[in-house]
Amino acid sequence: MLTIIRFSTLIFALLCVTSATANTDTFMAGPVIKNYGKHAKVQQDLKLDKNIVFKVAFDLGDQGSVGKVNGSIETLARFINMHVANGMPLENINLAVVVHGKAGFDLLKPSLYQEKYQQKNANHDLVQALMKNHVSIYLCGQSAAYHGITNDMVMPGVQVALSAMTAHAVLQNKGYSLNPF
């Protein structure tokens, strides 16, 4: 019985990997953030009202792999790209990300990241592109203090909040919904 369960689990895992890697060539970056945020064209049943104004907050607590783009940061680029590609005006997309825990290290200035990890901060260009497209980035001040990150250590434009909890509360009061991903 245990062998059947293990075999079934293996088959399920292989199917998931196969389906996760199938058709990746149909994903494209852009049109707004050119090198990030790949998305696919899909047949939609939930029609997108192009006049709606999105105000969405994301939560990020996990640091990415050293020297690689943090996929959770790239999610914001995907959100922007896929909606603009489907006809939504960029000015109708208001995004914020609240960063806490060790994910704060992904917001370090390039020279400090290089010094800490002996690797280039692969998140730098993406973070700059997001901020250029009006994405607000808030760093939890409590997490920053715990990890020894000071305001002058993070990329210009990153805003330090009292806490992640505070940032989320303020954003919610401003009408932002919390993205569950």
Side-chain angles (χ1 to χ4, degrees):
M1 179 71 169
L2 188 57
T3 303
I4 293 171
I5 293 171
R6 284 186 183 155
F7 181 72
S8 298
T9 303
L10 175 63
I11 295 299
F12 178 74
L14 288 172
L15 288 173
C16 288
V17 168
T18 302
S19 65
T21 58
N23 298 321
T24 56
D25 56 333
T26 63
F27 284 76
M28 61 197 150
V32 178
I33 300 176
K34 303 292 183 196
N35 298 316
Y36 304 96
K38 290 185 175 186
H39 56 96
K41 186 171 181 67
V42 298
Q43 174 89 30
Q44 301 175 50
D45 293 320
L46 176 63
K47 295 301 178 192
L48 181 63
D49 177 357
K50 292 166 181 62
N51 296 314
I52 195 169
V53 175
F54 281 133
K55 294 176 91 176
V56 183
F58 293 77
D59 184 80
L60 172 57
D62 293 326
Q63 181 179 14
S65 297
V66 172
K68 298 192 185 307
V69 170
N70 186 322
S72 294
I73 298 173
E74 189 168 14
T75 295
L76 284 92
R78 182 171 31 266
F79 190 98
I80 291 169
N81 284 340
M82 71 179 167
H83 287 95
V84 171
N86 282 279
M88 179 168 276
L90 180 59
E91 59 270 11
N92 288 10
I93 302 171
N94 303 288
L95 303 182
V97 60
V98 177
V99 180
H100 55 90
K102 286 189 172 186
F105 291 119
D106 288 337
L107 302 177
L108 290 176
K109 290 178 180 174
S111 60
L112 296 173
Y113 189 95
Q114 177 75 36
E115 182 181 312
K116 181 171 181 59
Y117 296 110
Q118 289 73 54
Q119 293 278 332
K120 179 183 176 197
N121 187 347
N123 298 294
H124 180 264
D125 292 345
L126 172 57
V127 168
Q128 297 305 307
L130 289 170
M131 288 191 292
K132 179 180 175 187
N133 286 284
H134 311 291
V135 173
S136 298
I137 301 175
Y138 300 99
L139 175 60
C140 171
Q142 302 303 303
S143 293
Y146 180 82
H147 291 291
I149 300 172
T150 58
N151 296 40
D152 63 332
M153 295 172 70
V154 295
M155 295 177 218
V158 171
Q159 302 171 65
V160 178
L162 175 61
S163 70
M165 296 179 289
T166 305
H168 279 299
V170 168
L171 289 167
Q172 185 174 4
N173 280 326
K174 291 182 176 184
Y176 282 73
S177 63
L178 179 61
N179 189 300
F181 302 104

